Amino acid sequence: MIGLVIVDDHPVVRDGLRGMFAGDDRFTVLGEAGDGREALAVIDAVGPDVVLLDLRMPVMDGVSTIRELKARKPAIRVLVLTTYDTDSDVLPAIRAGATGYLLKDTPREDLFRAVLAAHRGESVLSPAVAGRLMGELRSPAKEPLSQRELEVLTLISRGCTNRETAGRLFISEATVKTHLLHAYTKLGVRDRASAVAAAFEQGLLRRD
């Protein structure tokens, strides 16, 4: 029997999943939680085989929870079950260590099979998510940021304006804008905030 913990900030969703798995003797629901921080405490207490995890939750989001859980208990499988299938949701979850990624419209039997597969250590992806990952793999490798572009983004991330950045780096404001535009292209974003967020997400910048 596979022990499960269900993590979702919506009680109705947790109730529905618990009732679904309660009707199948291959599974037992050991606990549930409404946010990532609570989930880690429950998981420590009951030691499940598989965690069904939503991504967007209060207190501690799904990706942060996956990272923390994999650092503490790498043998536990995490199966993301969410309504979101954008690149900004899928890729960080997979990189953090999720065994699988399913959407909440997954049919019951497919969900059961996914949990069984995750328990065996097999990767399980919904068709939409698999398509996104394949597209990412097939896309041309992105050119890395230059040292100067990283320096500009570092100062921008600390709240510097273009003028202040130019002054600190002894370059013109026009050159700062050019470096930013090049960084946008390489990171696949359209504005300063998104560029900084993407750089942090990819480990190019570090929080002080």
Side-chain angles (χ1 to χ4, degrees):
M1 187 176 284
I2 298 173
L4 301 174
V5 164
I6 298 169
V7 186
D8 196 291
D9 60 332
H10 293 97
V12 171
V13 174
R14 297 199 304 270
D15 289 346
L17 289 171
R18 186 174 61 249
M20 184 186 302
F21 284 102
D24 192 304
D25 60 11
R26 293 172 294 179
F27 311 103
T28 179
V29 177
L30 301 175
E32 60 183 67
D35 62 66
R37 185 65 63 194
E38 181 185 4
L40 293 173
V42 171
I43 291 165
D44 281 342
V46 303
D49 301 300
V50 178
V51 176
L52 288 174
L53 180 76
D54 194 10
L55 283 185
R56 300 189 186 180
M57 300 180 294
V59 183
M60 188 176 190
D61 64 82
V63 171
S64 298
T65 304
I66 296 169
R67 288 198 192 100
E68 183 68 22
L69 177 57
K70 299 307 287 187
R72 293 187 190 184
K73 300 178 181 294
I76 293 178
R77 312 299 185 185
V78 180
L79 187 58
V80 171
L81 185 62
T82 187
T83 57
Y84 306 101
D85 66 348
T86 64
D87 289 349
S88 61
D89 293 301
V90 174
L91 299 177
I94 299 298
R95 288 172 182 145
T99 304
Y101 197 113
L102 298 177
L103 301 181
K104 286 182 179 176
D105 60 359
T106 299
R108 176 196 302 252
E109 291 305 319
D110 288 350
L111 179 56
F112 288 171
R113 282 193 289 270
V115 172
L116 293 168
H119 184 241
R120 295 192 297 267
E122 300 172 8
S123 296
V124 186
L125 302 172
S126 72
V129 170
R132 285 190 176 278
L133 288 179
M134 288 303 296
E136 177 74 8
L137 291 172
R138 288 170 178 163
S139 62
K142 294 177 181 176
E143 184 182 351
L145 296 183
S146 69
Q147 184 61 39
R148 182 62 90 186
E149 288 159 0
L150 283 172
E151 290 170 349
V152 168
L153 277 181
T154 297
L155 291 172
I156 295 297
S157 73
R158 294 173 181 170
C160 292
T161 63
N162 286 358
R163 177 175 293 181
E164 291 168 338
T165 299
R168 294 193 183 194
L169 297 178
F170 303 102
I171 57 179
S172 68
E173 283 188 65
T175 301
V176 169
K177 292 178 182 178
T178 298
H179 286 312
L180 282 174
L181 289 174
H182 289 164
Y184 296 168
T185 299
K186 293 176 180 180
L187 294 169
V189 299
R190 296 183 178 180
D191 56 57
R192 295 157 64 97
S194 298
V196 169
F200 275 123
E201 181 183 310
Q202 295 178 29
L204 302 174
L205 298 179
R206 295 183 179 180
R207 300 185 188 279
D208 295 332

